Amino acid sequence: MAQVQVQLTNVTKRFVTKTLGDIVAVDDFNFEVYEGECFSILGPSGCGKTTALRMIAGFEDLTEGEIHLGGRPVSSSRKNLYVPPEERDLGMVFQAFAVWPHKNVFENVAYPLRIKKVQRAEIERRVKEALHHTSLTGLEKTYPSDLSGGQQQRIALARSIVTNPKVMLLDEPLSNLDPHLRETMRFELKELQSKFGFTIIFVTHDQSEAMAISDRMLVADMGKIMQIDTPENLYNRPINRFVHSFLGESTFLNVVIKDGKVYAKGDMEHPLDLEAPPNAESEMIMATRPNAIELTADKGYQTHVQTRIFLTDRTEYVVPIGNQTLKVQTPHRITFAQGESCSVRFVEPMWYPVEDPEAEKERQRRQLI
Amino acid sequence: MINLRRNKDLAAVEGRRIGLDNVMTALAFVLLLVIVVIPISMIIYNAFFHEGKFTFNLIVEQLTRSTTLSSMWNTIKIGGLVTLFGTIMGVFYAWLLGRSNIPGKKLMRSLFTIPYMFPPFLGAMAWDLLLNGRSGYLNRWMMQTFNLSSAPLNINTIWGIVFVEVSYYFPFVFMQVVSALERMDPTLEESARIAGAKQGTVIRTITLPLVVPAISAGALLILISSLAHFGVPAILGFSQGIFTLPTRIFAVISRSGGSFEGIRQAAALSILLVVVVALALLLQRKVLSSGGYDIIKGKSMRPTLINLRGARIPLFILALVTLAVIVMVPLIMIFLVGLVRAYGLPLIPANFTLANYTRILTTSGTLDSIKNSLILAISAGIISMTLGTLIAYVVQKIKPRGTGVLEILSVLPYSIPGTVLAIGVILAWSGSLGINLYNTLWIILVAYIARYLSFSMKTSSAALLQVHPSLEEAARTCGATHTESLKDITLPLIRPAMISGFFLIFLPAMREVTTSVLLYGPYTRTLGVQIYSLRDAGMMPQAAALGSVAIVLIIVINAIVNAITADRKGV
Ligand SMILES: Nc1ncnc2c1ncn2[C@@H]1O[C@H](COP(=O)(O)OP(=O)(O)OP(=O)(O)O)[C@@H](O)[C@H]1O
Ligand SMILES: [Mg+2]
C-alpha cells in the first residue's frame, strides 16, 4: 500500500452565524489520501467541500479533529496546533484563478520561488520549465488581463507546481472554463500529475468530471461523508438514495413489500417481477438506472408507453407504473410507439429506506447561508 | 457591439424636424456655456487682458510679491502633507477595519465615516478654542496645571492646519480602500500564503499593490480638496498671518472692499491657484499610476481576517481614541462653548446658559442665514441634479458631435477650486455682461450649480450606463413615443441615482463657506458665512451655538437620507 499523504481524523467544522443559526459545515470527516492518488471530494453546493479543503490548506481552524500531512500533524483542535498555510508545502488552485493582475506571467509563477529566496538562475530555469509544462512558453511578459480564462488557469497551475509540492489542492478549478476547455485541462492536469507525481485533492460538484479524473472519490451531503470508493463502485453500488441520484442518471420507484412480493405503490394487484431484498421493510425505494431496465413486449410488469423521446444516442420512454412514472432508456433498435403496450423488468436494482422529508429542508437551509 | 446612437435614429423616426434629442443637446451646451464657460473665460480675460491688450503683467506682478509666493508655498506644503498623512491614515484604518479581527468592525466602519460629514471649518473652530496659542482652553489648563510660561501646543500653525484637514479628509482614502478590500477576491491573498508568503509579506506584495488604484483615487480627492480648501486655513491661519492661495484671494477681495482692482488681482491669483492644482494633478498621475485592476471576487467568499492577537485590544483602543479626538472632542467643545455665558470663562456648569441659543434662534440675521442655506441647498440640489442628468443623458445616450467637450466642461468645475469659481462668477454676473446679480442669492446659486454639477453628472452617468438601450427600444416597439419612453422607462430606472445625487449636493451645500464667503451680500449670508462672521466679530459663543445647530441639522438630515436611500430600487 502506498504511503498516506493526507489524513483527516474526526474533523468537524462548525460556523456560528448570527442570522441563520449555527451550521456544521463539515461533520466528522475521516479519510486518507495516498501518495500519487487523485482523490475527489464531490457533493452539492453547501455540502462542505470548500470548507474541508480550506482546513487542509490551513485557512480554517478545526472545531474538532486532527489533520496530518505526510505523517506530520498540521492541525489539531485538541493540541491547539495550527501550522500556517505557508508552512504546509502545498499547491493550491482556486476556482476564480487568483492570478495576480499586477504581476506578469513570469512574476506570477516566480513568486513562490522568490519567497523561498531561490537563486536567480534557478528561478529562471524552474519557471521556464513550469511554463513549458503548462503550454505558456512565450507569454512570460504578458499580464493576466490580456489572457483567456484557460490561460489564466494555466498560470495558476504553473504557479502551484513550480515549487514541486507533494500535495495539490484544487477547488473547482475548471468550473469557470467552457466545456471543451474543461476537458482539455482535465487531461493536462492528469498529465502533470503523472510527470510530477503529486497527490491531488480535487473538489467539484460535477460528477462526470470527478468520475473522469479520480482514482477514488468522496461523496458528501450536508457536511457528512456519504461514501468513499472508486468511481466504478460508487456508480454500481451507491450506498444510499442520495449517492445513487448524484452519480449518473437514476430512476426511483416507491415500492410496498408484502408477503415477499414487491408492488409499485398505487398498484397492489400486479407484483413486479422481482425478489424482495433480504431484511426488507414494508415500504422502500427501489433505485435503478434508466438504461438498466429491460423494455420488452411481454416479459415483466405490463404497462404502456406514455411518452417517447428520441435522444441522440438512445431513446427515452416514460412509462406509468402504479401511481408513478418510470424513466427507461433503450438503444434505438428497440422501438415502441407512443401508447403501445409494453413490459418492464428490473435487473439488480438497489433498495433504500424511505427518505426523511426533513433532509431536503436542511439541504436548502445550508445553501442559503 | 450595441449601437448607442440608435436613439438618434429613433428620434428621427418621430418625424419631427427638431427632435427632443436635439433640444436636449442644445440645452446642455447652452447651460454649460452660461454656467461654466463664461465665468472661467472671464477670469482668464481679466487676468491676461488689460484695457483690451494681452499682457502677462498682472501675473508677473503677483509672482514678484513675497506674500503671493509664501501663500503658494503654503498651499503646496499643506496640500502635500495633508495628502501624505491622510492617505497613510486612511489606508491603515481601512485595512484594520476591513481585514483584521478587531472587535465591533461594522459599527466602527460607520463611525469612521462621520469625520467625512463633519464640516472641517467647525472642526478648526473647535481646535482653535482648545489649542489657540494664546487663549485655547486646553493650553491655559496645561499652563496652569504644569506651571508653564507659554502655551505648550499651538494649533495656529501650518502643522495645526494639516492636523485638522487630515482629520476630516482621510475618509476619502479610507472609504475608497475599504470598498476595494471588500470587493477584492480573497483567494488572491490566499494563493500567496500557499506560495509560502507570511502574512506581512502578503500585505506588502499582494494586498497593497492591488489597492493602489483605490488609494490613488482617494489621495487625489484629498489633494484637490486640500489645495482648494478655505475654511480651516482661514480660521487657524489668519491670526498668525499664515495664508494659502484661497485665503489670500479672500483677503485681497475683502481688503479692496470689492473694488475692481482687487477683483483683478484676485483673478490673477486664481490663475496661479488653478496652475498649482493642475500641476499637482499631473504630478499625482506620474507618481501613482491609476487605472483599476480586475480584482472583483467570484462566488460568495469570505475574506480571511487577520488575527491581530495581542495587538487586538490596543489597536481597538487606538481606533476609539482617534475617533474621540477627531469627532467627539470638537463636537463637545462646540456644544460647550455654545453654552458659555462669555467667551473665555471656564467651562463649568455655573457659567452655562441657553442665552446664546435663544439669541441666535431669535435674531433675524441668523434665522435668515439658515433659511438662505436651505433655499440654496435645495434649489442647487434640484437644479444641478436635473442638469447633471440632462447632460449625462446627452453624453451617454445621444452622443452628439462634441460629446467630449460636454463631458469635460461638466466635470471641469470639480477640479477648479471654489474660490476661483466665485471670482469667475463675480466677474461674469456683476454687471460687466449686462446682468447684475451681485448681492443676491442668485449669484450664489449660480456658483453652487457650477460647483456641484459634476457630482450629479457622475451618479447619473453611472446609472444611465446600466440602462441598456434595448429597454427604451422595447418601449418604442410597444408604441411609446421617444418622450414617453424616456419618461416611463429611463427616468424611473435612474430615479434612485438622481435622489442620491440630490443629497450628494444638498449636504455639502448646506455647510458651504468657500464660495459663499466671497459672494454674500448684506441679506444673503449663508449658514457657514454667518458662523464665520459671528466668530470674526468676536462673538465666539454665539458662533459655537450656531455651529452646534448646523451639526445637529447635518446629522439629522444624514440620518433621514440614509433611511430613504437604504431601500432603493432601480439601477
Ligand atoms: N466563514 C463562514 N461562516 C459561516 N458559514 C460558512 C462559512 N464558510 C462556509 N459556511 C457555510 O458552510 C457550509 C459549507 O460551505 P462550503 O463553502 O464548504 O460549501 P461547498 O461545498 O464548497 O459549496 P459550493 O459548491 O457552493 O462551493 C455552507 O452552508 C456555507 O454557507
Ligand atoms: Mg465551494
Side-chain angles (χ1 to χ4, degrees):
Chain A
M1 195 88 202
Q3 213 185 327
V4 174
Q5 265 302 341
V6 182
Q7 184 179 35
L8 274 74
T9 337
N10 303 111
V11 171
T12 296
K13 177 74 189 182
R14 182 179 297 114
F15 287 112
V16 183
T17 67
K18 290 203 185 80
T19 41
L20 288 138
D22 287 10
I23 187 145
V24 183
V26 166
D27 192 354
D28 197 22
F29 267 35
N30 284 286
F31 65 83
E32 279 120 44
V33 182
Y34 301 102
E35 193 170 358
E37 191 177 29
C38 181
F39 185 88
S40 293
I41 302 179
L42 178 68
S45 187
C47 76
K49 308 178 293 284
T50 299
T51 309
L53 203 70
R54 290 171 56 82
M55 287 193 287
I56 299 172
F59 290 122
E60 305 276 4
D61 54 2
L62 280 54
T63 312
E64 237 157 85
E66 225 170 34
I67 297 178
H68 287 75
L69 285 178
R72 169 172 80 121
V74 288
S75 297
S76 165
S77 64
R78 195 166 40 82
K79 297 183 207 139
N80 201 8
L81 170 79
Y82 166 77
V83 176
E86 63 267 24
E87 289 165 28
R88 295 190 178 202
D89 276 327
L90 298 164
M92 189 161 181
V93 177
F94 298 88
Q95 180 179 9
F97 312 149
V99 291
W100 300 305
H102 63 301
K103 293 180 185 290
N104 63 24
V105 173
F106 184 91
E107 284 306 322
N108 258 285
V109 179
Y111 185 85
L113 302 173
R114 294 211 192 284
I115 292 291
K116 292 193 169 61
K117 305 237 163 19
V118 176
Q119 281 187 340
R120 279 264 294 280
E122 176 74 1
I123 291 181
E124 288 274 341
R125 192 185 65 73
R126 284 168 66 177
V127 171
K128 219 173 143 194
E129 193 189 322
L131 291 180
H132 170 72
H133 286 305
T134 47
S135 328
L136 286 169
T137 311
L139 295 174
E140 286 85 351
K141 295 272 173 292
T142 321
Y143 280 84
S145 54
D146 296 331
L147 296 174
S148 70
Q151 286 168 319
Q152 294 195 33
Q153 196 58 304
R154 284 205 182 87
I155 304 176
L157 256 177
R159 188 175 64 192
S160 59
I161 59 171
V162 79
T163 48
N164 241 324
K166 279 223 150 63
V167 178
M168 187 78 92
L169 308 177
L170 301 111
D171 190 357
E172 310 205 24
L174 309 179
S175 62
N176 274 357
L177 305 176
D178 66 59
H180 176 69
L181 197 57
R182 209 177 294 173
E183 214 161 304
T184 326
M185 288 287 288
R186 190 200 289 164
F187 182 73
E188 285 177 19
L189 189 62
K190 289 295 275 186
E191 284 277 272
L192 284 173
Q193 186 188 19
S194 65
K195 228 171 264 160
F196 292 89
F198 47 74
T199 307
I200 291 181
I201 300 186
F202 188 93
V203 161
T204 179
H205 62 258
D206 179 340
Q207 46 110 359
S208 61
E209 190 169 278
M211 291 272 202
I213 203 172
S214 343
D215 299 313
R216 280 189 313 142
M217 47 204 244
L218 176 164
V219 181
D221 184 29
M222 296 192 285
K224 290 198 181 64
I225 295 183
M226 297 283 114
Q227 195 171 1
I228 304 177
D229 215 325
T230 60
E232 210 179 331
N233 286 344
L234 278 169
Y235 183 77
N236 291 329
R237 274 183 285 285
I239 199 167
N240 58 23
R241 186 198 151 119
F242 172 80
V243 179
H244 199 290
S245 69
F246 203 72
L247 299 173
E249 277 202 73
S250 303
T251 185
F252 297 107
L253 202 62
N254 290 307
V255 295
V256 177
I257 292 162
K258 208 171 137 200
D259 305 330
K261 287 200 172 120
V262 184
Y263 299 89
K265 227 178 171 181
D267 180 4
M268 293 303 289
E269 280 163 38
H270 309 94
L272 301 176
D273 181 13
L274 267 178
E275 297 241 327
N279 48 42
E281 290 162 40
S282 65
E283 286 199 19
M284 295 192 91
I285 291 173
M286 190 200 76
T288 181
R289 309 288 177 190
N291 61 10
I293 300 172
E294 284 177 10
L295 195 65
T296 56
D298 48 12
K299 278 191 256 91
Y301 180 88
Q302 280 293 319
T303 173
H304 65 275
V305 174
Q306 183 178 311
T307 318
R308 172 175 182 270
I309 305 161
F310 185 84
L311 305 174
T312 46
D313 50 350
R314 65 221 125 106
T315 312
E316 183 171 295
Y317 298 91
V318 178
V319 297
I321 182 161
N323 57 4
Q324 306 158 64
T325 55
L326 197 67
K327 197 160 73 178
V328 182
Q329 289 171 355
T330 67
H332 290 318
R333 69 190 145 75
I334 300 169
T335 45
F336 286 88
Q338 190 144 341
E340 198 178 336
S341 66
C342 62
S343 323
V344 288
R345 226 178 72 179
F346 304 96
V347 185
E348 295 183 18
M350 303 293 295
W351 304 92
Y352 303 121
V354 178
E355 207 185 41
D356 177 10
E358 290 300 307
E360 190 50 38
K361 277 191 209 152
E362 172 64 13
R363 193 171 295 138
Q364 278 170 10
R365 183 181 85 97
R366 295 173 68 91
Q367 284 169 13
L368 282 178
I369 293 183
Chain B
M1 267 312 283
I2 303 145
N3 184 359
L4 290 168
R5 279 175 180 254
R6 275 294 272 293
N7 289 303
K8 202 168 184 183
D9 307 331
L10 290 175
V13 173
E14 208 112 294
R16 293 192 205 143
R17 268 192 312 156
I18 305 172
L20 176 66
D21 284 354
N22 292 341
V23 174
M24 290 201 291
T25 309
L27 202 59
F29 273 105
V30 169
L31 286 168
L32 281 179
L33 182 77
V34 172
I35 293 168
V36 181
V37 178
I38 293 184
I40 292 174
S41 316
M42 287 306 283
I43 294 184
I44 297 174
Y45 179 81
N46 281 284
F48 290 107
F49 287 87
H50 190 59
E51 285 158 2
K53 276 199 283 291
F54 180 83
T55 169
F56 273 119
N57 282 354
L58 252 168
I59 303 278
V60 174
E61 194 187 306
Q62 285 300 333
L63 276 176
T64 48
R65 288 193 193 162
S66 65
T67 50
T68 309
L69 290 178
S70 74
S71 322
M72 253 170 112
W73 176 232
N74 285 341
T75 310
I76 294 168
K77 198 153 70 177
I78 293 172
L81 290 171
V82 169
T83 308
L84 178 69
F85 290 113
T87 304
I88 293 173
M89 186 164 163
V91 172
F92 174 72
Y93 280 112
W95 178 81
L96 196 66
L97 300 187
R99 274 298 156 87
S100 77
N101 65 341
I102 199 160
K105 263 200 296 291
K106 252 208 184 124
L107 179 67
M108 292 278 270
R109 241 150 85 172
S110 38
L111 288 180
F112 261 83
T113 53
I114 294 180
Y116 174 69
M117 301 186 277
F118 205 97
F121 79 99
L122 286 180
M125 247 172 73
W127 282 107
D128 190 47
L129 291 169
L130 274 167
L131 289 179
N132 186 298
R134 276 173 295 127
S135 53
Y137 277 103
L138 191 59
N139 268 337
R140 272 187 295 165
W141 177 81
M142 282 194 287
M143 282 160 75
Q144 272 168 19
T145 316
F146 303 112
N147 263 329
L148 305 173
S149 56
S150 66
L153 289 166
N154 186 0
I155 198 80
N156 306 90
T157 57
I158 296 262
W159 285 102
I161 295 172
V162 169
F163 164 73
V164 176
E165 285 190 21
V166 166
S167 305
Y168 304 109
Y169 282 151
F170 86 90
F172 283 137
V173 167
F174 173 79
M175 292 192 293
Q176 293 272 353
V177 176
V178 157
S179 98
L181 283 177
E182 216 161 56
R183 281 176 293 129
M184 189 158 126
D185 181 351
T187 60
L188 288 168
E189 287 163 303
E190 286 170 3
S191 344
R193 292 296 296 275
I194 288 287
K198 294 215 174 306
Q199 188 59 63
T201 318
V202 176
I203 294 175
R204 194 166 44 77
T205 58
I206 307 292
T207 319
L208 267 181
L210 286 178
V211 293
V212 159
I215 297 175
S216 161
L220 187 70
L221 284 176
I222 298 187
L223 184 63
I224 297 179
S225 311
S226 173
L227 289 177
H229 190 73
F230 170 79
V232 175
I235 283 170
L236 297 179
F238 275 175
S239 62
Q240 299 298 312
I242 299 169
F243 286 94
T244 61
L245 279 173
T247 59
R248 170 67 64 192
I249 292 172
F250 172 77
V252 165
I253 294 262
S254 52
R255 193 160 357 106
S256 72
S259 79
F260 189 63
E261 185 50 35
I263 292 178
R264 277 194 43 210
Q265 279 185 28
L269 285 171
S270 298
I271 295 284
L272 294 178
L273 180 52
V274 169
V275 168
V276 168
V277 171
L279 285 179
L281 291 183
L282 279 180
L283 183 77
Q284 162 107 5
R285 202 148 291 172
K286 270 251 149 65
V287 176
L288 295 168
S289 68
S290 43
Y293 295 119
D294 189 11
I295 52 172
I296 312 294
K297 62 183 169 191
K299 281 217 290 199
S300 61
M301 282 185 281
R302 302 162 175 89
T304 21
L305 298 180
I306 282 104
N307 193 346
L308 298 171
R309 295 169 206 278
R312 188 165 177 253
I313 298 304
L315 284 173
F316 177 64
I317 292 171
L318 177 71
L320 285 184
V321 169
T322 305
L323 274 180
V325 168
I326 63 185
V327 178
M328 288 318 287
V329 170
L331 206 61
I332 292 170
M333 199 58 202
I334 295 270
F335 277 107
L336 287 185
V337 173
L339 282 173
V340 86
R341 255 186 298 124
Y343 180 51
L345 289 180
L347 297 176
I348 49 171
N351 294 331
F352 288 164
T353 160
L354 282 176
N356 297 319
Y357 286 92
T358 45
R359 198 167 311 143
I360 58 158
L361 291 176
T362 49
T363 19
S364 65
T366 309
L367 285 177
D368 278 349
S369 76
I370 297 178
K371 198 180 73 196
N372 285 339
S373 275
L374 274 171
I375 293 175
L376 282 168
I378 292 175
S379 27
I382 292 175
I383 297 173
S384 302
M385 179 192 72
T386 317
L387 289 186
T389 309
L390 173 74
I391 295 167
Y393 188 83
V394 172
V395 168
Q396 296 292 346
K397 301 275 165 174
I398 304 180
K399 303 198 174 185
R401 250 176 298 142
T403 305
V405 178
L406 213 56
E407 210 167 350
I408 291 174
L409 284 183
S410 57
V411 293
L412 191 62
Y414 183 70
S415 45
I416 293 185
T419 316
V420 176
L421 216 53
I423 301 295
V425 170
I426 295 174
L427 286 167
W429 309 121
S430 42
S432 56
L433 298 175
I435 301 171
N436 193 347
L437 304 176
Y438 204 62
N439 283 350
T440 67
L441 274 183
W442 293 105
I443 198 163
I444 305 180
L445 183 61
V446 171
Y448 279 13
I449 292 171
R451 211 170 165 202
Y452 297 122
L453 190 58
S454 56
F455 289 26
S456 62
M457 154 97 186
K458 271 183 198 155
T459 43
S460 294
S461 278
L464 276 170
L465 261 182
Q466 300 194 26
V467 180
H468 197 271
S470 64
L471 291 176
E472 248 187 65
E473 285 165 7
R476 296 301 298 275
T477 55
C478 295
T481 62
H482 184 44
T483 321
E484 280 168 344
S485 70
L486 229 173
K487 175 170 71 68
D488 297 338
I489 309 297
T490 311
L491 276 182
L493 280 172
I494 63 167
R495 186 177 300 142
M498 288 175 71
I499 291 173
S500 56
F502 170 81
F503 287 110
L504 229 52
I505 296 164
F506 176 83
L507 285 169
M510 257 325 271
R511 61 183 215 209
E512 215 285 338
V513 210
T514 312
T515 47
S516 40
V517 83
L518 286 164
L519 297 173
Y520 76 89
Y523 304 108
T524 58
R525 286 165 192 245
T526 61
L527 185 52
V529 168
Q530 182 69 3
I531 297 173
Y532 186 83
S533 328
L534 282 172
R535 181 183 173 278
D536 219 30
M539 292 186 264
M540 198 60 90
Q542 281 189 54
L546 189 55
S548 329
V549 172
I551 291 174
V552 170
L553 220 57
I554 287 169
I555 290 175
V556 168
I557 295 170
N558 242 306
I560 296 173
V561 173
N562 286 342
I564 293 175
T565 49
D567 52 354
R568 40 182 270 181
K569 263 194 217 97
V571 286

PDB file of all heavy atoms in Angstrom, chain A residues 49-51 95 171-172 203, chain B residues 299, ligand 2:
ATOM      1  N   LYS A  49     -17.515  21.037   0.892  1.00  0.00           N
ATOM      2  CA  LYS A  49     -16.301  20.688   0.150  1.00  0.00           C
ATOM      3  C   LYS A  49     -15.204  21.721   0.344  1.00  0.00           C
ATOM      4  O   LYS A  49     -14.074  21.391   0.713  1.00  0.00           O
ATOM      5  CB  LYS A  49     -16.603  20.606  -1.359  1.00  0.00           C
ATOM      6  CG  LYS A  49     -17.771  19.730  -1.726  1.00  0.00           C
ATOM      7  CD  LYS A  49     -18.030  19.749  -3.220  1.00  0.00           C
ATOM      8  CE  LYS A  49     -18.500  21.070  -3.777  1.00  0.00           C
ATOM      9  NZ  LYS A  49     -19.884  21.398  -3.507  1.00  0.00           N
ATOM     10  N   THR A  50     -15.562  22.975   0.092  1.00  0.00           N
ATOM     11  CA  THR A  50     -14.561  24.028   0.190  1.00  0.00           C
ATOM     12  C   THR A  50     -14.028  24.129   1.611  1.00  0.00           C
ATOM     13  O   THR A  50     -12.829  24.287   1.822  1.00  0.00           O
ATOM     14  CB  THR A  50     -15.165  25.371  -0.250  1.00  0.00           C
ATOM     15  OG1 THR A  50     -15.577  25.260  -1.602  1.00  0.00           O
ATOM     16  CG2 THR A  50     -14.182  26.498  -0.118  1.00  0.00           C
ATOM     17  N   THR A  51     -14.933  24.019   2.570  1.00  0.00           N
ATOM     18  CA  THR A  51     -14.510  24.112   3.961  1.00  0.00           C
ATOM     19  C   THR A  51     -13.493  23.025   4.289  1.00  0.00           C
ATOM     20  O   THR A  51     -12.463  23.284   4.914  1.00  0.00           O
ATOM     21  CB  THR A  51     -15.725  24.015   4.891  1.00  0.00           C
ATOM     22  OG1 THR A  51     -16.699  24.959   4.454  1.00  0.00           O
ATOM     23  CG2 THR A  51     -15.343  24.291   6.321  1.00  0.00           C
ATOM     24  N   GLN A  95     -10.970  28.371  -7.859  1.00  0.00           N
ATOM     25  CA  GLN A  95     -11.959  28.482  -8.921  1.00  0.00           C
ATOM     26  C   GLN A  95     -11.804  29.775  -9.727  1.00  0.00           C
ATOM     27  O   GLN A  95     -11.887  29.774 -10.938  1.00  0.00           O
ATOM     28  CB  GLN A  95     -13.351  28.425  -8.302  1.00  0.00           C
ATOM     29  CG  GLN A  95     -14.454  28.528  -9.311  1.00  0.00           C
ATOM     30  CD  GLN A  95     -15.807  28.429  -8.638  1.00  0.00           C
ATOM     31  OE1 GLN A  95     -15.915  28.451  -7.428  1.00  0.00           O
ATOM     32  NE2 GLN A  95     -16.828  28.302  -9.436  1.00  0.00           N
ATOM     33  N   ASP A 171      -9.803  23.601  -5.905  1.00  0.00           N
ATOM     34  CA  ASP A 171     -11.197  23.877  -5.569  1.00  0.00           C
ATOM     35  C   ASP A 171     -11.950  24.291  -6.830  1.00  0.00           C
ATOM     36  O   ASP A 171     -11.868  25.422  -7.269  1.00  0.00           O
ATOM     37  CB  ASP A 171     -11.275  24.979  -4.512  1.00  0.00           C
ATOM     38  CG  ASP A 171     -12.679  25.128  -3.971  1.00  0.00           C
ATOM     39  OD1 ASP A 171     -13.584  24.429  -4.456  1.00  0.00           O
ATOM     40  OD2 ASP A 171     -12.863  25.954  -3.054  1.00  0.00           O
ATOM     41  N   GLU A 172     -12.681  23.382  -7.392  1.00  0.00           N
ATOM     42  CA  GLU A 172     -13.431  23.617  -8.633  1.00  0.00           C
ATOM     43  C   GLU A 172     -12.619  24.415  -9.645  1.00  0.00           C
ATOM     44  O   GLU A 172     -13.068  25.451 -10.124  1.00  0.00           O
ATOM     45  CB  GLU A 172     -14.746  24.355  -8.321  1.00  0.00           C
ATOM     46  CG  GLU A 172     -15.508  23.685  -7.213  1.00  0.00           C
ATOM     47  CD  GLU A 172     -16.995  23.973  -7.267  1.00  0.00           C
ATOM     48  OE1 GLU A 172     -17.489  24.288  -8.355  1.00  0.00           O
ATOM     49  OE2 GLU A 172     -17.637  23.847  -6.227  1.00  0.00           O
ATOM     50  N   VAL A 203     -11.769  19.222  -5.625  1.00  0.00           N
ATOM     51  CA  VAL A 203     -13.129  19.488  -5.175  1.00  0.00           C
ATOM     52  C   VAL A 203     -13.996  19.861  -6.363  1.00  0.00           C
ATOM     53  O   VAL A 203     -13.584  20.669  -7.199  1.00  0.00           O
ATOM     54  CB  VAL A 203     -13.127  20.638  -4.147  1.00  0.00           C
ATOM     55  CG1 VAL A 203     -14.502  21.240  -4.012  1.00  0.00           C
ATOM     56  CG2 VAL A 203     -12.635  20.146  -2.806  1.00  0.00           C
TER      57      VAL A 203
ATOM     58  N   LYS B 299     -17.536  33.738  -6.570  1.00  0.00           N
ATOM     59  CA  LYS B 299     -18.614  33.240  -5.717  1.00  0.00           C
ATOM     60  C   LYS B 299     -18.525  33.857  -4.330  1.00  0.00           C
ATOM     61  O   LYS B 299     -17.526  34.452  -3.964  1.00  0.00           O
ATOM     62  CB  LYS B 299     -18.467  31.720  -5.582  1.00  0.00           C
ATOM     63  CG  LYS B 299     -18.988  30.986  -6.765  1.00  0.00           C
ATOM     64  CD  LYS B 299     -19.680  29.689  -6.408  1.00  0.00           C
ATOM     65  CE  LYS B 299     -18.813  28.571  -5.911  1.00  0.00           C
ATOM     66  NZ  LYS B 299     -19.445  27.273  -6.008  1.00  0.00           N
TER      67      LYS B 299
HETATM   68 MG    MG C   2     -17.001  25.651  -2.666  1.00  0.00          MG
END
